[in-house]
Structure formats: C-alpha cells, structure tokens
Amino acid sequence: MKKINLLKKSLIISSTLALALGFASCQKNSGLANYNYQEEGINSKAMLASAPKKMAARAMMADNAVAESIEYESNSSSGAGDQQSINTERKLIKNGNISLEVQDLSTGEQFIEEWAKGYNGYIENSSSNENNAWFTVKVPAKSFEEAMQTVGDLGIVKSRGISSQDVSEQYYDLETRLSTKKVMRDNLKRYLAQATNLTDILKIERELNNVLSEIESMEGRMRRLSNQIDYATISVNLSLPGGKTSPVIHKPTFGENLTEFFAQTGAFFAACLKILAYAIVCGIPVIAFLALLFWLLFGKIGLVKKLFKKLK
C-alpha cells in the first residue's frame, strides 16, 4: 500500500512539473513570437519600456499589422466565400453599338432622346454633320437587352454589336480592401481617443490620415466602377441614305441669295438715312447756338472787340 501511495505521489509530482514546464515553454515561445512580430515593424523595446504611456500607439501598430495581414490574405487567396459571392452575382460592364439608316436626322435625334428617357437613361454626348449623327447613351444595365432591341425601330439596322466585361474579381477585391480599411479607421479613432501621450497622438493621427486618404481613393474607384456596372453604354450611329443630306441643312438658291442681297442693301441705306436725320435734328440747334455766340462776341455787337478797345 505504501508503494502504491508513493507511486501516486510520484505521478502527481511528475504531472505538476510537466505542466509547469509546458506553461513556461509556452510563455517563452509567446514572448519570442511577440518579439519577432514586433521586430518586423513595432519597435518593441522602446514601447515596452514605457508601456503605460504608449499602450494606444502599440495597439494601433498591432492593429495595422493584423489588418494588413487580413488584406494580404484577401488579395492572395480566392476564398470560398468570395468565390460564392462572385458566382451568385457577377459584375459586368455591358456595351453595345448599333448603326441605323434613317430618313431624317432631326427626327432621329428626337427619337433617341425619348428612347433614352423611356429607360431612365440619358445621352452622355452627341455629335453630327450633314449626313451622320452619333450618340453615346447610358441606360440601366437591367434594360440593356431590351433597349438594344427597341432602338432598331428607328430605321434600317446596318450593324449591331454587344460586348461585356467581367469585373467581378476587381469589384469584390476592392470591396474587401475597403471594408478592411474602414475597420482600421474605426480602431485608430478609438486608439486616438484613448491616447494621452503627445507622441502617440501624433503617430496615430498621421496613420489615421493615411488610412482616410486611402479610403477616399477606394470609394472614388468604387463609385466609378459601380456606375459602369449599373449603367450600360450604347453607341448609336444614324446615317442618311447615300446621296441624301439632312433637310435641316438648307442651301439657298440664286434667287434667295439675290433677294437677301437687296434686302441687306436696303437696310444699309435706311440706316444711312436714319443717321443723317439724327445729324440734322441734333446739328441745327448746335450750329444756331455757335452762330449766335460768334455774332455776340465778334459780330456787330462785338463784345470782345469793345473789351480790347477799352483796354487799349
């Protein structure tokens, strides 16, 4: 019995020592891992020396490292969740082009405006000459196929083309990285609110400004990409039949040119007579006043002459 009790005590002591050694080993490995992790970008010695004062900055840097690791993994990995999202809803940029032969460019332009509005779309730009008109129209992507069919009602379809660009990977990758940056932003704001040391505050603010700038840039790219996905582009070319010009552009005949010449000549002489009449009406009083002034000063009355005689 004593031997059994002694054996039990030995087993208990051995187990206790094994657990203690395992715990110490884990602590050592954890410290080494923390040291290696901080050696890569966190400057551990200085921060550990002033841990109470620099807790916020150390947490901020650790958060950056973790967020960057998450971002890197999301970029380098094609995870099942992302792949499932891409398969569920693919992000496509749709483009179409169509060439039509019409009898009247002016009527065609009105049709294109009403056609685009009918699909809650708009004309992005347009140009024309006497034989052709070009339009770049934006319509909601969900109405793209129907819009491509109905625009053909305007005239005779000469050519038609449809293309699409799959930007699912680019879209979801940008969305993931933007979410990661927003998490970093929120954490940095929290660390900034907790920081008390001026040096830590400046470091956190600098890092926060960088993250905010990156978020703003990513959101701009996301808006542009979303707009291209949500609105398809349709290029429409209208052309008149060969040898025909647009009735909007009118070439005057010889008789019309002659009539316009006489009309302009008559208008010129009428303007001259009007100027002469103004000169007579306004000039006579002026001339009369100057004559009276001359008569008083130098004429029969000769006030100036009399003044000079007295002075002599």
Side-chain angles (χ1 to χ4, degrees):
M1 180 67 88
K2 289 182 178 181
K3 291 182 178 180
I4 293 173
N5 291 333
L6 182 61
L7 180 60
K8 287 183 178 180
K9 289 180 180 180
S10 300
L11 289 173
I12 292 172
I13 294 172
S14 300
S15 300
T16 304
L17 289 174
L19 289 173
L21 289 173
F23 180 76
S25 177
C26 290
Q27 290 294 325
K28 182 178 180 180
N29 292 335
S30 174
L32 179 59
N34 188 42
Y35 170 79
N36 292 336
Y37 174 70
Q38 292 173 340
E39 277 292 307
E40 293 179 358
I42 303 186
N43 193 11
S44 62
K45 292 183 178 180
M47 299 183 74
L48 290 174
S50 55
K53 295 182 178 180
K54 298 188 176 181
M55 178 184 64
R58 184 169 68 252
M60 178 268 294
M61 292 182 177
D63 182 71
N64 289 344
V66 173
E68 289 172 1
S69 176
I70 294 172
E71 185 177 357
Y72 173 76
E73 290 175 3
S74 66
N75 291 338
S76 61
S77 161
S78 56
D82 290 342
Q83 189 64 37
Q84 183 179 0
S85 298
I86 293 175
N87 292 334
T88 301
E89 183 182 1
R90 304 200 71 82
K91 300 297 182 179
L92 303 175
I93 297 177
K94 299 180 180 180
N95 295 280
N97 61 81
I98 186 169
S99 296
L100 301 169
E101 183 180 290
V102 296
Q103 298 299 319
D104 185 1
L105 292 181
S106 178
T107 303
E109 183 176 356
Q110 295 177 0
F111 176 90
I112 294 296
E113 290 179 357
E114 295 174 358
W115 165 75
K117 290 179 181 179
Y119 291 102
N120 294 322
Y122 59 95
I123 298 176
E124 188 176 45
N125 57 66
S126 64
S127 60
S128 63
N129 58 27
E130 62 181 6
N131 296 315
N132 297 272
W134 297 269
F135 304 90
T136 301
V137 183
K138 292 286 189 178
V139 297
K142 61 182 180 180
S143 305
F144 173 70
E145 288 77 11
E146 183 181 352
M148 284 293 296
Q149 291 295 329
T150 56
V151 71
D153 298 338
L154 176 58
I156 301 172
V157 178
K158 292 297 184 179
S159 65
R160 185 197 304 265
I162 293 176
S163 64
S164 62
Q165 180 184 358
D166 190 345
V167 293
S168 303
E169 183 178 355
Q170 179 182 353
Y171 179 89
Y172 289 112
D173 175 70
L174 184 59
E175 186 179 55
T176 301
R177 290 192 290 118
L178 181 58
S179 299
T180 302
K181 291 296 181 183
K182 287 182 177 180
V183 171
M184 292 177 63
R185 175 200 61 192
D186 296 339
N187 290 340
L188 286 169
K189 286 182 177 180
R190 186 171 64 254
Y191 300 150
L192 183 61
Q194 296 172 355
T196 57
N197 184 273
L198 180 59
T199 303
D200 297 340
I201 291 174
L202 293 176
K203 288 181 180 179
I204 297 173
E205 285 183 342
R206 182 167 59 250
E207 185 66 23
L208 179 59
N209 289 334
N210 293 336
V211 172
L212 290 175
S213 178
E214 292 177 2
I215 289 175
E216 184 178 355
S217 176
M218 287 182 180
E219 286 179 338
R221 289 163 57 192
M222 180 64 79
R223 283 193 297 269
R224 291 191 295 270
L225 188 59
S226 298
N227 183 66
Q228 291 177 321
I229 294 170
D230 295 339
Y231 279 84
T233 302
I234 300 178
S235 300
V236 183
N237 171 227
L238 306 181
S239 61
L240 296 173
K244 185 177 180 180
T245 58
S246 174
V248 176
I249 302 174
H250 177 69
K251 295 182 178 180
T253 62
F254 174 77
E256 291 174 341
N257 287 331
L258 188 62
T259 302
E260 185 179 0
F261 170 75
F262 283 119
Q264 292 180 354
T265 303
F268 172 76
F269 282 112
C272 291
L273 290 175
K274 185 181 292 187
I275 293 172
L276 182 61
Y278 278 120
I280 292 173
V281 172
C282 298
I284 289 176
V286 173
I287 293 173
F289 174 75
L290 292 175
L292 178 61
L293 188 62
F294 179 81
W295 181 69
L296 291 173
L297 297 176
F298 303 99
K300 291 183 178 181
I301 298 177
L303 296 176
V304 175
K305 291 181 180 180
K306 293 178 179 179
L307 180 61
F308 276 107
K309 286 180 180 180
K310 289 181 179 182
L311 292 174
K312 290 180 179 180

